[in-house]
Amino acid sequence: MDPRQGPRHVLPARAVDRDRARPGQPAGALRGRRGAAPGRQHPRPAPRRPDGPGVHHLVHDPAPRRRRADRHAGRRRTARARQHRRGVDRGPRHPVEPGGAAMSVRVRVAPSPTGDPHVGTAYMSLFNLAFARQQGGQFVLRVEDTDRARFQADSEQQVYDTLSWLGLDWDEGPDKGGPYAPYRQSERLDTYKPHVDRLLAEGHAYLCWCTSARLTEMREDQQKRKLPTGYDRLCVGKTAEQRAELPGYQETPVVRMLVPEDPPLHFVDLIRGEVAAPHPDDQVILKADGFPTYHLAVVVDDHLMGITHVVRGEEWISSTPKHLLLFDWLGWERPAFAHMPLLRNVDKSKISKRKNPAARLTWFAEQGYLPEALLNFLGLLGYSVPGGEEVFDFARMSETFDWSRVNTVGPVFDLDKLAWLNGHYVRELSAADFVERSLPFLQRSGLVSPMPTEAELALVNAMVPAVQTRVALLSELPELVRFLFVPEADFEVEEAAAAKALTEANGPVLTAAADALEGVVEWTAPAVQAAVDGALLEGGLGLKRNKAYLPLRAAVCGRAIAPPLDESIALLGRERSLRRLRAAAAACGSDVR
RNA sequence: GCCCCCGUCGUCUAGCGGCCUAGGACGCCGCCCUCUCACGGCGGUAGCGGCGGUUCGAAUCCGCUCGGGGGUACCA
């Protein structure tokens, strides 16, 4: 792919209008790959953007072909993409100087600290970052803590921790600062205030004194009568005194948007092409507690922070018209929008912590998933890199990133595939890395001391080749190697393994093996195997290897599934191996010398 | 209820009107390797939701239908 196509992405959605204004462009060339044109149900007046003051400087096209003109048409528009580059080098656009033609890409992720960090946050961050890095732009982390009821203090730090763990680093944020600080909405209350006042003064917003009880009642009634729900505007045009005489009144008002008859309902989405969204309700933008709602805060902050591309979940499509209205009213340039598909539970519902442990970002590290595996996996959801390969890293994704490769279908979060990918990355780890990443799991399960001893470390290092291909998740490691670390007094053969392997007939096998091992001089895997084989296979008891090893494995490892026998015995050491073999032989009822 | 978005193997995806007898990956099944379990190798299983239309030709374009999802908050 020609990297020079890149700048195409820099353009806001509106860019397509430029295409269309260009004469002699065949309509077909503008068609996107998915045909776009999500069916509009009703004939409407040609969708338009309402001209906010000084917003759209581009030629308006009255042409009927509107829905075609979307879809950032595929990867084949090299020539045109290049033409679009004119002016991109004029330096970064300053947010308080809207209308600058040139702008460097600025994207953001905006988690709200309401509990454990959500996978969706990582998913959105990944795509935002991949795009930002490709474009040489910035990635901003903004904390949207306007919901005081659901706020959780430790949540913010966890967001930092998990995103850092994944290597998704932000350029600006509450912890790092930046030119547009503060990055915490609760610290920006003064910033929102003037804009609310202005909307009020210009008649785009009004005060509303209705109690939530009245609103609920109203909504229920509307539903009962099969009407679209929405605020009935009881408060419009009234003073507090006038309104107070009517029922359902509360003293502290909220501020609502006065949505016009024909708000902008269509916008071009980088992923979906032109989309139609629902007619908005008179949305509350300032709550009674003085905090802005999300809708006001995003618009104000995205504009002030110079955000050029709003990349967020599909769940926001239906509120985008509210945002468009706000941008227009405030006279601000609209950013480009990209609505990502929603991650799903197995039952296809939006991924949730309740139905899916994987919705909690902290879960992955606990389970022994590697960050590189999770990141790769997230990049596989709703997306594919040009070559179609399954295994790729962030750099690869970022270099080749293209909005047209993002799917519109919400992917199910498939843990099986993640586990496979994780196993792949586990196997690729160097021995030293494998040890480093494994240690916490061994320590947590009590097999290795918090401050590992020399001997413990030596054993851990030595066991690597025997176990690295045998775990998909690091959390599987402790049970596999427990027999190597457990204090001798605590060692036991699992019941199922004992029942099957430590039979009376196998007593002599164990004794013969122990006897042979006594004579081993150099305690290595090959020497161990030679001794055991000599005693039990053809030259000795004449057993088949699988028969012969079964009791030995149970005796030494305590279970039916373990690393290869020779390596297990070599790692365990002479003393412990012999003791366990003799003890097992005794348990089989054979002679103990 | 109302509104919007979406529909290719069980799952993640490729597909941009002929290259499709629909490709890859995970999973699953079988075989090989093999001391168990893995890893690795080889092979197999399974899909364009349905119906119409446009076209010489449709997984690809259009319509309807069915299905799934999301929104409908002084949550984000």
Side-chain angles (χ1 to χ4, degrees), chain A residues 114-427:
Chain A
T114 54
D116 287 10
H118 196 278
V119 250
T121 301
Y123 187 55
M124 294 307 150
S125 298
L126 171 61
F127 283 78
N128 268 293
L129 229 211
F131 177 58
R133 290 292 173 260
Q134 177 191 54
Q135 299 293 323
Q138 285 87 49
F139 175 50
V140 177
L141 173 59
R142 185 174 67 218
V143 173
E144 310 224 322
D145 54 351
T146 54
D147 185 350
R148 294 190 311 167
R150 294 199 302 158
F151 176 80
Q152 277 185 32
D154 52 346
S155 185
E156 187 180 313
Q157 185 59 46
Q158 286 186 327
V159 169
Y160 300 153
D161 293 347
T162 49
L163 291 184
S164 299
W165 177 70
L166 282 167
L168 297 170
D169 292 319
W170 50 102
D171 301 304
E172 301 165 26
D175 59 329
K176 294 196 171 157
Y180 305 105
Y183 292 89
R184 221 176 258 121
Q185 291 186 330
S186 61
E187 295 169 11
R188 300 172 62 81
L189 265 26
D190 294 343
T191 305
Y192 308 119
K193 192 72 193 330
H195 299 110
V196 174
D197 291 342
R198 181 175 154 204
L199 292 173
L200 244 14
E202 293 178 1
H204 287 129
Y206 59 92
L207 299 178
C208 171
W209 294 268
C210 291
T211 58
S212 40
R214 185 183 112 73
L215 295 172
T216 309
E217 198 180 323
M218 176 195 72
R219 216 173 289 126
E220 280 168 0
D221 181 60
Q222 286 165 337
Q223 276 207 20
K224 210 170 299 169
R225 294 191 292 150
K226 307 192 176 183
L227 292 169
T229 53
Y231 183 56
D232 62 4
R233 297 191 164 168
L234 178 67
C235 296
V236 174
K238 293 191 172 64
T239 61
E241 294 70 35
Q242 292 169 332
R243 174 65 249 257
E245 289 167 17
L246 273 22
Y249 170 88
Q250 70 180 19
E251 212 145 293
T252 321
V254 300
V255 178
R256 283 183 186 275
M257 294 170 66
L258 185 62
V259 176
E261 283 289 303
D262 59 343
L265 299 181
H266 294 255
F267 62 95
V268 176
D269 187 281
L270 259 16
I271 296 168
R272 291 151 207 274
E274 177 156 338
V275 312
H279 188 108
D281 185 13
D282 279 2
Q283 179 63 232
V284 170
I285 53 175
L286 193 70
K287 308 184 223 180
D289 63 6
F291 276 65
T293 57
Y294 169 85
H295 302 97
L296 201 239
V298 252
V299 169
V300 171
D301 288 343
D302 282 345
H303 173 256
L304 260 24
M305 293 181 179
I307 300 304
T308 55
H309 296 69
V310 170
V311 181
R312 68 217 316 186
E314 182 185 347
E315 74 234 79
W316 294 108
I317 289 180
S318 43
S319 32
T320 300
K322 298 168 187 172
H323 307 159
L324 298 181
L325 226 28
L326 256 11
F327 276 111
D328 292 352
W329 284 340
L330 265 1
W332 296 339
E333 193 168 1
R334 284 147 49 156
F337 291 95
H339 288 95
M340 295 288 298
L342 255 26
L343 264 21
R344 314 291 185 107
N345 294 309
V346 176
D347 67 3
K348 306 272 188 173
S349 57
K350 173 165 89 166
I351 197 163
S352 63
K353 295 173 187 171
R354 207 179 139 267
K355 290 183 181 175
N356 202 327
R360 284 179 44 234
L361 218 35
T362 48
W363 181 78
F364 297 96
E366 289 164 12
Q367 294 300 306
Y369 289 96
L370 265 27
E372 50 269 54
L374 211 212
L375 208 57
N376 188 158
F377 180 65
L378 290 175
L380 239 25
L381 295 178
Y383 192 71
S384 60
V385 291
E389 63 266 28
E390 312 280 326
V391 179
F392 54 84
D393 61 11
F394 177 81
R396 165 91 177 131
M397 179 173 175
S398 181
E399 281 160 16
T400 61
F401 189 75
D402 187 335
W403 289 115
S404 73
R405 299 194 69 87
V406 179
N407 277 157
T408 48
V409 193
V412 169
F413 201 96
D414 177 18
L415 255 12
D416 278 339
K417 188 152 187 173
L418 209 209
W420 166 76
L421 251 188
N422 204 64
H424 171 84
Y425 282 100
V426 165
R427 275 167 250 133

